[in-house]
Amino acid sequence: VPISIRDVAASAGVSLGTVSKVLNERAGAQIAPETRERVRRAARELGYHPSAVARALVRKQMDTLGLVLPPGSTSPIRAPFFSALVDGIFQAAAERRQNITVFTGHRWRNAQESLPYYRDGRCDGLLLCFQLPESDIVTALLDARIPMVTLNDIHDDPRATTVDVDNIAGAREMTAYLLSIGHRNIGLICGLASLNFVAPRIEGYKRALSAAGVPFDPALVAAGESTRRSIAEQVDTLLTLPIARRPTALFCLSDGLATDTFIALAARGVRIPQEISVAGFNDDGSASWHEPPLTTMRQPFVDLGERAIDLLIERIKDPSLPAVVEFLKTELVVRGSTAPPAVTR
Amino acid sequence: VPISIRDVAASAGVSLGTVSKVLNERAGAQIAPETRERVRRAARELGYHPSAVARALVRKQMDTLGLVLPPGSTSPIRAPFFSALVDGIFQAAAERRQNITVFTGHRWRNAQESLPYYRDGRCDGLLLCFQLPESDIVTALLDARIPMVTLNDIHDDPRATTVDVDNIAGAREMTAYLLSIGHRNIGLICGLASLNFVAPRIEGYKRALSAAGVPFDPALVAAGESTRRSIAEQVDTLLTLPIARRPTALFCLSDGLATDTFIALAARGVRIPQEISVAGFNDDGSASWHEPPLTTMRQPFVDLGERAIDLLIERIKDPSLPAVVEFLKTELVVRGSTAPPAVTR
DNA sequence: CTGTTAGCGCATTCAG
DNA sequence: CTGAATGCGCTAACAG
């Protein structure tokens, strides 16, 4: 038997409006302490809980944020990176008393189909986490003036508000670290090159090289797909380079790529870090499960979630706010998978 | 400018009720094809999308399911097991056109506090995924008659509908497999013994032993906490047993425990599977990242999600349905981490 | 300080 | 076959 605000009013002997005022503790609502207490007691005794739906209908606000994860059958949420990001978002949302509803995207074929579901009032705004540029959806959402923030996905549309880590700086720092311990030939395992994070991280790599006066060798950049098989091929490509150009360290552009690189190296009997150093990027949790544990750049997942949600909430309150793009800093985490190159070369 | 059903009605020159009938394609609603077309066109041209909130208010149904994840600051969703389970749930929900809103539980201190949030009409029912017995919450939810299904958490309250894998059978099969390749001393790494899955899996282990006529040695059962440090201690306890009782295989009661067991073994220079076999349980994704890849029991994550959601939807439609407890089968996945014991003992 | 009124956007009777 | 009327449960003016 659902119990409504009417029942509380009747039971407390006051009007419906009074109950609403008491329970919402509206600022500037003067209520006699005695009445207030009577209402509260009635509500408690009846086990009354306001309907979020009815409230949302009149306030036009659900206090719910939609989280849109990449389409495709690859089950992105099972990847440690997305788990970490999603967890950061959940934590931040809980602190701000926002609910999160998740759109897996599996069922939406295109922008036309998906839009209605995003704008049916179920959520007040959207958090978008894609790994590939999804321009059509983003543009459609922007056109529809749905409040949204893009996470880890710099978009070229100037209307998009985005928060991301500074991938260029992060990759530069990692490369600089590898250079600092003596590596000169640093191979890059990129996986699928069209993923959002690849280009800026390659850029950071180049800048560090250039700052150190080490020439950039395009042959040291291996790309293909992000599958285990393809990663193995990319590793092979680098390992079979002539000895003078062969890398002594492999900078995998994500921890996921590092995992498959570890597997490929183990299969070939190459020891880490004695024969080759391996570094990752993200510190998404998988990094510490490796043997040896992975040197990587940590993304501040909780901070990312917090900034994204705060920016989104601001824009829900005031949709006229200008778009901003925020970059958060990464942190170098040195573990056991990197070491100076063997002297005998 | 939010556009409502009224605007469509006006634009199509029909009444509001007619628009509703056309757009919902209600069975038994006779509408002139010509009117129908006119309404559809008007809706399309105006870019009309019904408000899920208003609809929910009158239909008393949001087509949204709440997913409650375990409390605690341990960020359960970052664990591969929960990622896999949650992913299975998302997939199943998308197919059934149900939205999922996630309650991380971080902020709820107890049943009294959390209840209001679960019953405010935001979601029609609840999917509960706990790793420890959370009797007070479950009981409170059951008392409140909120439709719910418990996942991987057999509860003693007979009113609770649950879906889980058959842990006893799974552990029995894994143990039988280890026995079949020649192991007689099979150590158990249990981690935190109060976790829901531990007791039934130990039971399965015992049954397999008993069926094979191998006596049960309590010293082979190591438990403590599920932290990396504690797992290392549990491994040490088993490895330092007198040679005659020392295990030649370690059955870790979850893949997460197996990960830490791998790390502990590597630190001690013990080779897998040459010196000791290691098996896990779950096949949650981390299993295939290991070197060597982990032999484990696969949980059918998508099936679990599907059954849980179907049972929940049934119970939302008809709350008087009796509680049921369903067990799904696991599947043995043999990889490289297990082998017959070394003959020289 | 409190009660009354008027919708929020929609689904659903019930008449015509 | 279609229109008008009613109310879901609540908040937000506006009167008293």
Side-chain angles (χ1 to χ4, degrees), chain A residues 163-184:
Chain A
V163 16
D164 196 353
V165 291
D166 190 339
N167 284 302
I168 296 182
R172 182 157 35 73
E173 188 179 349
M174 177 59 84
T175 308
Y177 157 73
L178 291 171
L179 289 167
S180 77
I181 60 175
H183 295 280
R184 284 299 169 268

Side-chain angles (χ1 to χ4, degrees), chain B residues 114-344:
Chain B
S114 52
L115 225 60
Y117 293 90
Y118 298 146
R119 67 183 315 177
D120 65 3
R122 204 179 287 281
C123 42
D124 309 322
L126 254 29
L127 254 18
L128 267 14
C129 302
F130 294 144
Q131 39 193 356
L132 286 165
E134 302 278 348
S135 308
D136 54 339
I137 299 251
V138 175
T139 304
L141 255 19
L142 254 9
D143 288 344
R145 312 204 147 274
I146 298 177
M148 50 171 261
V149 168
T150 291
L151 259 154
N152 286 47
D153 170 25
I154 301 301
H155 200 270
D156 43 359
D157 195 313
R159 297 172 299 171
T161 289
T162 296
V163 16
D164 196 353
V165 291
D166 189 338
N167 284 302
I168 297 182
R172 180 157 36 72
E173 187 178 350
M174 176 60 83
T175 308
Y177 157 72
L178 291 171
L179 289 167
S180 77
I181 59 174
H183 295 280
R184 284 299 169 269
N185 292 355
I186 302 172
L188 240 41
I189 303 289
C190 300
L192 184 62
S194 54
L195 292 175
N196 291 319
F197 61 77
V198 174
R201 292 183 192 170
I202 292 182
E203 174 63 22
Y205 165 82
K206 287 183 180 170
R207 290 195 193 174
L209 251 34
S210 143
V214 175
F216 169 66
D217 180 356
L220 286 175
V221 179
E225 293 177 59
S226 291
T227 60
R228 182 165 298 179
R229 168 194 293 271
S230 175
I231 303 307
E233 291 169 1
Q234 292 167 47
V235 169
D236 282 337
T237 306
L238 296 183
L239 290 189
T240 53
L241 245 27
I243 187 77
R245 301 172 75 188
R246 194 176 304 165
T248 56
L250 258 22
F251 177 14
C252 305
L253 261 28
S254 80
D255 288 356
L257 297 170
T259 297
D260 286 330
T261 297
F262 265 58
I263 291 173
L265 256 16
R268 284 150 189 75
V270 182
R271 287 170 308 148
I272 305 168
Q274 294 85 347
E275 300 178 64
I276 197 163
S277 285
V278 177
F281 202 110
N282 286 351
D283 198 25
D284 61 22
S286 64
S288 67
W289 305 333
H290 287 292
E291 198 40 54
L294 184 68
T295 292
T296 190
M297 292 296 305
R298 172 173 299 163
Q299 294 215 28
F301 291 107
V302 173
D303 296 344
L304 283 168
E306 284 180 348
R307 283 310 297 151
I309 288 184
D310 286 340
L311 287 169
L312 181 53
I313 291 177
E314 282 177 12
R315 274 154 189 74
I316 288 168
K317 281 193 193 136
D318 179 4
S320 69
L321 250 30
V324 303
V325 178
E326 283 198 6
F327 294 103
L328 271 47
K329 276 193 298 209
T330 57
E331 182 195 352
L332 176 65
V333 181
V334 176
R335 297 202 182 90
S337 68
T338 47
V343 279
T344 60

